[in-house]
Every structure is written in C-alpha cells, then in structure tokens.
Amino acid sequence: MNFRIIKPFSTHNLVLGCMVIFFILGIQTLKAQVSKREKLMGELEDIKKSSNFNSKDTLYIHKLINLSYEYRFHNLDSLITLSKQSLELSKKAIYINGEISSYHAIGGYYSDKGKIDQAISYFTKAYNLAKKHQNHFLKVRTLNDLAKEYGYKGDYALSLKWYLAAIEIAEQNNFKNSVSIINDNIAHLYLEQKDYNQAMVFFKKSKAIHEEIGNPVYMAETLSNIASTYADMNELDYAMYNINSSISVFEKERILEWLAFSYEIKGKIYLKKNKNTWALYWYKQSELLHKEIEDDRGKVDLLNGMTEAYLNLKKDSIAEVYALNAFNLSKKIGLRSGIKNSAFQLFEIHKNKNEFEKSLWYHELYQVTYESLTLTGNEKALNMLKTKMEYDQQKQQLIIDNEKALAKQKIYIYVFIVILFIFSIIVFIIHRNQQEQKKLNLELRNKKADLEEKQAYLNELNQTKNKLFSIIGHDLRGPIGAFQGLLKLFKEGEMSKDEFLNFVPKLKVDIDTISFTLNNLLSWGQTQMNGSITKQTVTNLDSIVEENMSLLSEIAEAKSITLINRIEPNCQIWSDPNQIDIIIRNLLSNALKFTPNNGQIIIGAIQKIKTCEIYVKDNGMGMSEEVIGKLFKKDSNHTTYGTNHEKGTGLGLSLCKEMVEKNNGKIWVHSAVGKGSSFYFTIPRIHKQYKESA
C-alpha cells in the first residue's frame, strides 16, 4: 500500500479544485480501461468473422482469457462467464495453458467474492495442471495466489510455505518480476503480525529487483506498499514521498484499482498526522473510484480508515455507518483482518455511546479474531523465515568482510605462491626419487619372483625324480628280482625244467605288468618335465580300443571277465592317438584290476555335437567318496590292490587326467562301494574341415 508527498492544501477552493481534477482523471482512467476491453472485444469479433474461424483456435481462446482478466475488479459476472467459456474451449482444443489460465481466472473470481475455499480449489487445479506439464511460469503464478488465499484465511504458516515454494521456482527460472511480487506478498504476512521492520526487508528486496527491471508500474506498486508500511511505522515523510511517486505513475498509466489503493494510503498518512479533514478528502477520492471497480478487500481498508477519521472528528454516528459497512463486507468475503479492525472500532463507538453490552460483544469478537490471526504456528513460521533472512544478511556481510580482508592480504598470497612453487619443486624431486626407488624395488621383486619360480620348478623336478626312483625301487625291483631268482634257481639246477615252465604264465603276467608300468612311467615323466608334445590328428577311436582289448584279453580271460566294445566302427575324434591309447589302456587295466572273476567291463562312446563322451564301466569293487577325491590329484600316490591282489603305481589316473586335458577334454568318475565304477572322459569330435582334408 503506497503514498505520495505533496504540500498540504490550506484553502477550501484548493480542495474543490483537486476534486474537479480528480473527477476528470477518474473519467480518463475509466475510459482507458474501457477502451482496452473494447479493443480485445473487437479483436475477438474480427477472429470470429474470419472465413476459417474455429472456436478451438488457441489465439481466440488466449484473447478470451485476457478479456476475462480485464474484467477483474470491474465486472466479476463477466469475469466468471468468460473464464468458464475459455475453460470449455481450452478442454476441447486440448490447450493446456488455456485450461490453466482459465482455472486461475475462476479462482480469482471466487477470491474476490470472498469464497476462499472455492478459490483455493480452482487455484489448486491450475497448479496441479501446470506442475504436470512443467509450465514453471504458471506454477509460480498459481502458487502465489494459493498462498494469498491461505493468508486471507489467517493460516500464515501454510501461506508462507507456498510463497517460499513459488519464490524458489521463480528464482531458478529467473522470473524476476514474479520474485518481486512474491516478496511483496511475504512482506504483507509480516505486516499482519505488525513486524514492520521485517516486512520492509522484503519490500526493499522487491524494490531492488524493479530498479533492475526498469518497469515504472511494477515499481509504483511496490512503492505504494512501502508507503503504507512507513505510515504504520510513523515514518510519515517517507510514506508521503513514496505514495506521491506511486500516484503520479498510476494517474499517468490510468490503472484504476491501484490508484484507488494509493488514494486510500494517502488518506491513512493524513490520518496518522491527525489531519482528519485531509484524510477524509483522499478517502473519498478512493471511495469514488471504488464505485467503478469491484475490490471488496481494498474497500474494507478504506471503510475502516474513514471510520477512524470520523471518530477523530467526533462524528460517531457517521463513523458507525462506515464501521458497520466494513464489518458486514468483511463477513461477506471472509476477511478476518477486516472483521478484527471493524469490530474494534464498533467496540469504541458503542463504548462512547454507553452501550456496554454491544461494546463488550464487539470487543470479544475482536479479541477472538486477533488471537486466531496470531497463532503460535504462524508466528513460529514467520520467525523461522526472519531468522533465515538474518542469517543470509550476516552471511552476506561476512562475505564482504572476507573480501576486504583478502584484498589487504594479497602480498601474503604472493609470498605463499612463491613458497608453494619452491615446495612443489622439492616435492617433485622427492617424488622422482621415490619413483626411481619403486622401479628398483619392482626389479628386485621380479627377480625374487623369478628365483622363487625356478626354485619351485626345481623342487617339482626333484619330487618327480624321487617319485620315479620310488616306483622303480618298489614296484619294478620286486617283480624283476623274483624273475632273477627263478632264473638263478633254474641255472644252478635247483629247479627242474617242468617246474620252471609252471612259473612261465606267472612270469609273463609280471613281465607285462613291468612293461605297462614302464610305459606309464615314461609317459608321466615326459609330461612332468615338459617333454610331452600333444599332436592332434584324426583318430579312429574303435581301432585303439580293439588293440587295447586284444592286448589285455589274456588278463581278462584269466579272471573270466567279459570285455564289451560298444564303440561304433567309424567313431573318429580329434586327438593325439598315442595319448588316447595310454588313456584307454589305463582305464581298461584299472577296470580289470578291480573287477572280480566272472565280471563285466563295457567301453563305449556317446557322440554329441562338439564332443565324444567315452566311458569305461565295470561291476567291480567300487570306491568311497574319500577315495574318489584323491584319484586325479597330480601329487597323489594313492594305490589300491585289485581283486586278485594286483598292485599299481598310482600314476595311471593322474596320467589320464593330464592327457585328457591336453586334448581339450574333461575326465570324471561315478562310483559306489560294491556297485562298480564308471569312468568318463570327453574328447573333441572331428571337425568338418578335418574330414575334408582327411
């Protein structure tokens, strides 16, 4: 609310002259506003008359909305009619911004009618739609109006919440004018709490923004609010200066509603100066304008001001008329601040008339309304913001002080930079030395690792040598020694020829065992000493199996074991034939060793897409889980006596595993004690290109 400073008039003729001037200005202002509405109506008619007119045309809807806004404060019935029409058209045209603005205009209608809950409902619809479609400008506008409505209800805490949300979005999107408007509105919350200093903080922030924008109308609106605040603070010269500045702009631009407000503030300034006649003069100028506009909230403040002026002039009967008008109008639009002020004045009027019962009733009403407007929650919310503002101000001051201190300490900064440069050189030298040291340490670690690797290799070779000597010493020396003993006995004549011939079958078995063991030893020794090279080629699996079954048939016949070959005649694999020969021989030999008399051994192959899965199954002794866990370990010396006390070296399965893996396969076993064992291994099948080359 704003004021304007002029020299006080001293004659009645001057007053009459001012009234004539005001009347002329009022007519000019009204004509200007009417002409603007007429211009919009003319543009709408031109659009409707065009040959390709469509009511869903967004330009037509937009102008319709603008026309509805022009009727606010002038003809609320036209406002609601046009707003509903634009809403309906916007929905049909799926014109979202038009729908939002229409809801907003309808909310303004209900706000001016004092139907706050309905106004909140429509402003909320507008906000939700703007939020959904990310229209930040309309979000700010609708949030600002929502906050105002909660302020009218006296819920300053919730009002402040929405103002802060709106100002955050406005600042993020650089909506400077919106920021200034919201600052003005937050200031009004503090005015309701009579915290004029804090209100002035927000008004001055708004003023600074307007100085940057350079729009005289926006500046005049804020100056009028500043003038009203100065009047409440009894800074009347400042108040008069600011309101006169505002009035000059509003008269020039012919903005009727703000001009009425400014005249009312100027009346308030004279009222504060106890110049009640001049106060009434400006109040009446505002009253004349209110006959041309529909602004009930502004009119309530005017009526209360006129009531106070008449009370000061001891014209209680006239004061009572204005006070009752203010009271009834406040009740009609639900303006609790207006009810509070008019109730207090009616309390004073009836007290002067010794009508104590009515006086008490109005005083109680005043007290209840006052307390509801100053709830602890409201005060707390405003105090929190006040604290935040003080903190921001202190923070800004601290930044300024720091900048001054830094300006004085530039020389220290330069010295520090020089020291830092020298320190950087030292750090660089130290870092370079550390890198050299790390490089040397890395070389030492690599050499140490090489030595450890070579030592491990030598240890492994030594273990291989020891194992070979152990096998030769225990598993080969025994049978050879027995053979030597028999030959000695036969040579020396202590054994007859027939007796010697009786030992020949046993000797043959021993010799075959020695030969088999030696072959395994040679193959294993080569793999351990990296001497065995895998040479893969097309291999006929069936022929290898037949050869080994023939080789071991004598052992099978001795135990009456049936050997069954289920491998297809043309089963070809991609492998090293010598290594496959060793694998098959070891698996068949093991099966013969652990299969009892009259048993059965089956060898077969399952040909899959990429591999051939070969199996050797027996119905012999079987193995426990513990024994299975030791079978394929490289360093395992595990050996078990067969059903006829046959003894092995413990190398066979370890050798099989290595050779299967060298041929890109896998080996595993399924077994159970007393139910026999099944050994499986996979070998890649022959590829198409290998078949063609073969």
Side-chain angles (χ1 to χ4, degrees):
M1 314 302 174
N2 307 333
F3 308 91
R4 179 184 169 195
I5 301 174
I6 59 169
K7 293 183 180 179
F9 299 157
S10 57
T11 66
H12 182 66
N13 289 334
L14 269 175
V15 173
L16 289 174
C18 288
M19 291 180 67
V20 171
I21 292 169
F22 169 76
F23 182 73
I24 294 169
L25 283 173
I27 292 172
Q28 290 176 337
T29 302
L30 185 58
K31 283 183 178 179
Q33 290 171 330
V34 169
S35 64
K36 189 173 182 180
R37 289 197 295 272
E38 286 177 347
K39 180 182 177 184
L40 281 169
M41 285 189 287
E43 290 172 351
L44 286 167
E45 285 299 320
D46 290 341
I47 294 172
K48 288 172 72 175
K49 288 176 182 178
S50 63
S51 58
N52 58 346
F53 170 68
N54 187 340
S55 61
K56 295 180 182 179
D57 181 3
T58 55
L59 177 62
Y60 176 76
I61 298 171
H62 181 71
K63 289 187 178 294
L64 199 64
I65 293 168
N66 286 344
L67 181 59
S68 70
Y69 276 116
E70 285 299 316
Y71 277 110
R72 191 170 184 188
F73 303 116
H74 301 285
N75 189 328
L76 292 178
D77 290 338
S78 296
L79 166 62
I80 190 65
T81 301
L82 292 170
S83 299
K84 288 182 176 180
Q85 184 181 350
S86 64
L87 177 61
E88 183 180 353
L89 293 175
S90 296
K91 287 181 176 179
K92 289 180 180 178
I94 316 177
Y95 178 33
I96 302 301
N97 288 349
E99 194 173 342
I100 296 168
S101 297
S102 299
Y103 280 132
H104 183 265
I106 295 171
Y109 166 80
Y110 284 112
S111 175
D112 292 345
K113 284 290 187 179
K115 298 179 180 180
I116 296 173
D117 290 334
Q118 288 173 277
I120 288 173
S121 173
Y122 278 98
F123 285 139
T124 302
K125 286 181 181 179
Y127 170 69
N128 290 336
L129 203 55
K131 182 180 179 183
K132 179 180 178 182
H133 293 275
Q134 290 299 303
N135 188 319
H136 298 301
F137 178 76
L138 294 179
K139 275 168 64 179
V140 170
R141 188 171 72 173
T142 51
L143 275 176
N144 176 65
D145 284 308
L146 264 176
K148 279 199 294 186
E149 295 307 311
Y150 282 110
Y152 295 148
K153 289 184 74 172
D155 191 345
Y156 300 141
L158 190 54
S159 177
L160 179 60
K161 172 187 173 182
W162 290 121
Y163 278 137
L164 292 177
I167 208 167
E168 182 179 0
I169 299 169
E171 287 176 343
Q172 288 173 353
N173 292 276
N174 201 30
F175 299 150
K176 292 183 179 180
N177 187 52
S178 298
V179 172
S180 69
I181 291 171
I182 298 167
N183 277 323
D184 278 2
N185 291 336
I186 292 175
H188 280 292
L189 294 181
Y190 285 101
L191 290 178
E192 292 293 336
Q193 301 292 315
K194 299 190 182 302
D195 189 345
Y196 304 119
N197 291 325
Q198 195 62 27
M200 194 60 74
V201 169
F202 284 93
F203 282 137
K204 287 182 177 179
K205 285 178 67 175
S206 180
K207 181 182 176 183
I209 294 170
H210 291 317
E211 287 172 348
E212 183 181 349
I213 294 173
N215 186 306
V217 175
Y218 295 158
M219 176 64 82
E221 291 172 1
T222 296
L223 290 179
S224 61
N225 286 320
I226 290 174
S228 178
T229 306
Y230 274 132
D232 291 328
M233 297 169 71
N234 282 317
E235 298 283 350
L236 302 180
D237 290 337
Y238 289 122
M240 189 65 79
Y241 173 79
N242 282 282
I243 201 61
N244 285 339
S245 299
S246 299
I247 288 173
S248 64
V249 173
F250 295 141
E251 287 178 345
K252 179 181 178 182
E253 300 296 330
R254 301 186 176 107
I255 303 174
L256 210 59
E257 58 274 14
W258 276 98
L259 192 58
F261 171 70
S262 299
Y263 288 156
E264 183 255 314
I265 297 305
K266 192 162 185 176
K268 183 168 79 170
I269 296 170
Y270 279 115
L271 190 66
K272 291 279 186 177
K273 289 185 173 185
N274 204 27
K275 296 182 178 181
N276 297 294
T277 302
W278 277 105
L280 282 172
Y281 167 77
W282 288 107
Y283 281 144
K284 287 184 180 295
Q285 312 316 308
S286 179
E287 187 178 28
L288 285 172
L289 286 178
H290 273 285
K291 292 179 180 179
E292 305 297 333
I293 62 176
E294 293 186 48
D295 181 13
D296 289 343
R297 289 192 181 92
K299 192 173 182 180
V300 167
D301 290 336
L302 171 64
L303 293 171
N304 280 323
M306 296 182 77
T307 300
E308 188 173 351
Y310 279 117
L311 278 173
N312 291 340
L313 292 171
K314 307 300 182 183
K315 297 180 180 181
D316 289 13
S317 57
I318 302 175
E320 184 177 1
V321 172
Y322 281 102
L324 283 171
N325 286 339
F327 181 75
N328 292 329
L329 187 56
S330 298
K331 285 204 305 181
K332 175 186 172 184
I333 62 174
L335 187 63
R336 294 199 291 171
S337 59
I339 293 172
K340 179 195 71 173
N341 294 332
S342 56
F344 183 80
Q345 290 176 332
L346 287 167
F347 151 70
E348 292 283 351
I349 291 168
H350 288 291
K351 184 177 71 172
N352 293 341
K353 293 168 66 176
N354 294 325
E355 295 174 351
F356 298 114
E357 186 175 348
K358 285 186 178 181
S359 176
L360 179 61
W361 186 85
Y362 280 114
H363 186 271
E364 289 175 350
L365 179 61
Y366 161 77
Q367 196 65 37
V368 169
T369 310
Y370 175 80
E371 290 174 357
S372 69
L373 290 172
T374 55
L375 291 172
T376 304
N378 291 330
E379 291 178 352
K380 183 179 179 181
L382 296 176
N383 285 333
M384 285 175 63
L385 184 60
K386 181 178 180 180
T387 303
K388 179 179 179 299
M389 291 295 301
E390 291 173 352
Y391 168 76
D392 290 341
Q393 289 173 350
Q394 291 172 0
K395 182 179 175 182
Q396 188 62 33
Q397 185 59 45
L398 183 62
I399 291 171
I400 294 170
D401 293 341
N402 286 339
E403 288 175 351
K404 290 179 180 178
L406 287 172
K408 293 179 182 179
Q409 296 174 4
K410 280 186 179 180
I411 187 169
Y412 298 108
I413 294 172
Y414 294 143
V415 171
F416 175 75
I417 290 171
V418 172
I419 294 171
L420 184 62
F421 178 72
I422 296 170
F423 179 73
S424 298
I425 294 172
I426 296 170
V427 169
F428 172 74
I429 295 169
I430 294 171
H431 177 71
R432 187 177 63 181
N433 291 337
Q434 286 178 341
Q435 292 299 109
E436 290 292 330
Q437 188 66 37
K438 285 181 180 179
K439 186 177 179 181
L440 292 173
N441 290 338
L442 181 61
E443 290 178 1
L444 288 173
R445 283 198 297 270
N446 290 336
K447 288 179 180 179
K448 182 182 177 183
D450 290 341
L451 289 172
E452 289 174 348
E453 186 178 344
K454 289 176 181 177
Q455 183 179 358
Y457 176 67
L458 291 173
N459 288 338
E460 189 175 345
L461 288 178
N462 195 42
Q463 289 174 4
T464 300
K465 177 201 71 174
N466 292 338
K467 188 167 185 178
L468 284 170
F469 287 158
S470 174
I471 292 168
I472 292 168
H474 293 87
D475 296 324
L476 296 181
R477 190 169 60 180
I480 291 172
F483 182 52
Q484 285 176 331
L486 284 172
L487 289 174
K488 183 179 179 182
L489 289 172
F490 180 70
K491 181 181 178 183
E492 292 176 354
E494 295 181 10
M495 179 182 288
S496 65
K497 183 179 179 180
D498 292 336
E499 287 176 333
F500 180 77
L501 290 173
N502 287 334
F503 278 102
V504 169
K506 174 70 168 62
L507 289 174
K508 185 180 184 307
V509 171
D510 287 345
I511 293 299
D512 289 341
T513 301
I514 290 169
S515 175
F516 183 74
T517 302
L518 281 172
N519 283 333
N520 274 354
L521 279 171
L522 289 171
S523 299
W524 182 79
Q526 281 183 325
T527 62
Q528 296 303 302
M529 297 181 183
N530 299 322
S532 176
I533 300 173
T534 301
K535 296 180 179 179
Q536 292 171 303
T537 185
V538 176
T539 303
N540 194 317
L541 180 63
D542 180 56
S543 61
I544 293 175
V545 171
E546 284 295 334
E547 288 174 8
N548 279 283
M549 288 178 70
S550 176
L551 181 66
L552 299 171
S553 61
E554 191 173 335
I555 298 173
E557 289 172 3
K559 297 180 75 172
S560 300
I561 295 172
T562 304
L563 294 175
I564 301 171
N565 182 3
R566 290 184 178 171
I567 294 175
E568 297 176 2
N570 293 320
C571 182
Q572 293 181 322
I573 56 176
W574 181 252
S575 64
D576 186 317
N578 294 325
Q579 292 178 352
I580 296 299
D581 183 57
I582 292 169
I583 296 166
I584 296 294
R585 192 180 311 153
N586 271 281
L587 292 178
L588 283 174
S589 178
N590 268 2
L592 287 167
K593 179 180 173 183
F594 295 107
T595 301
N597 294 342
N598 302 312
Q600 178 180 277
I601 298 172
I602 302 171
I603 183 167
I606 302 169
Q607 297 190 59
K608 298 184 178 181
I609 296 174
K610 293 184 179 181
T611 61
C612 183
E613 185 180 292
I614 304 158
Y615 60 86
V616 177
K617 299 182 179 180
D618 65 62
N619 57 355
M621 297 166 55
M623 296 174 285
S624 65
E625 291 293 330
E626 182 181 357
V627 172
I628 291 172
K630 299 176 181 178
L631 286 182
F632 299 110
K633 289 186 178 178
K634 185 177 180 181
D635 57 351
S636 174
N637 289 323
H638 180 75
T639 183
T640 308
Y641 288 94
T643 56
N644 289 350
H645 302 286
E646 302 98 328
K647 188 177 185 301
T649 63
L651 289 176
L653 292 176
S654 176
L655 184 62
C656 288
K657 181 176 186 296
E658 289 186 26
M659 291 187 172
V660 166
E661 289 176 351
K662 282 179 179 290
N663 285 275
N664 300 316
K666 295 180 180 179
I667 188 168
W668 67 97
V669 63
H670 295 309
S671 183
V673 176
K675 294 184 179 181
S677 302
S678 298
F679 284 84
Y680 300 85
F681 69 95
T682 60
I683 296 294
R685 288 188 63 187
I686 180 172
H687 295 283
K688 185 177 180 182
Q689 58 266 37
Y690 299 137
K691 284 184 180 179
E692 290 172 351
S693 64

